[in-house]
């Protein structure tokens, strides 16, 4: 299993970023996917979740109304569109799948600062 995140970077407060996670090594369309984040000195936390066919999503309260998780099963990719970013969104963002155990990508850094 390989998960490769991209799309992070430095953005000003109020800005937007779109994260991508390219997956391989398993039948992507059959598995639910999640985005997590970990800020310095804090526990890793769930940000968003999407079911295998994309029919259901869930968000952390901090992400509701600002973030959107989506997936393209034809491209084996899950996305996280992040709008109205705040400094407290600064973290390393990881995608994750449970496939015979939990797998993580290497993470992508998101920094929200003026």
């Amino acid at each position: 299993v390989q998960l490769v995140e991209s799309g992070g970077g430095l953005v000003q407060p109020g800005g937007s970023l779109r994260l991508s996670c390219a997956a391989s090594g398993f039948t992507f369309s059959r598995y639910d996917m999640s985005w997590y984040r970990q800020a310095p000195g804090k526990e890793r936390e769930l940000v968003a979740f999407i079911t295998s066919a994309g029919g259901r999503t869930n968000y952390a309260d901090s992400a509701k109304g600002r973030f959107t998780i989506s997936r393209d099963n034809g491209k084996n990719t899950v996305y996280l569109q992040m709008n109205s970013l705040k400094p407290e969104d600064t973290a390393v963002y990881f995608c994750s799948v449970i496939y015979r155990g939990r797998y993580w990508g290497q993470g992508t850094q998101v920094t929200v600062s003026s």
Side-chain angles (χ1 to χ4, degrees), residues 45-84:
E45 63 176 358
L46 177 66
V47 176
F49 165 90
I50 188 167
T51 52
S52 58
R56 183 169 65 88
T57 58
N58 282 318
Y59 298 91
D61 287 345
S62 59
K64 287 178 182 175
R66 299 188 300 127
F67 294 3
T68 302
I69 188 171
S70 62
R71 64 191 296 159
D72 184 335
N73 285 348
K75 295 183 178 180
N76 287 1
T77 302
V78 61
Y79 304 97
L80 186 67
Q81 177 68 44
M82 305 187 295
N83 299 328
S84 303

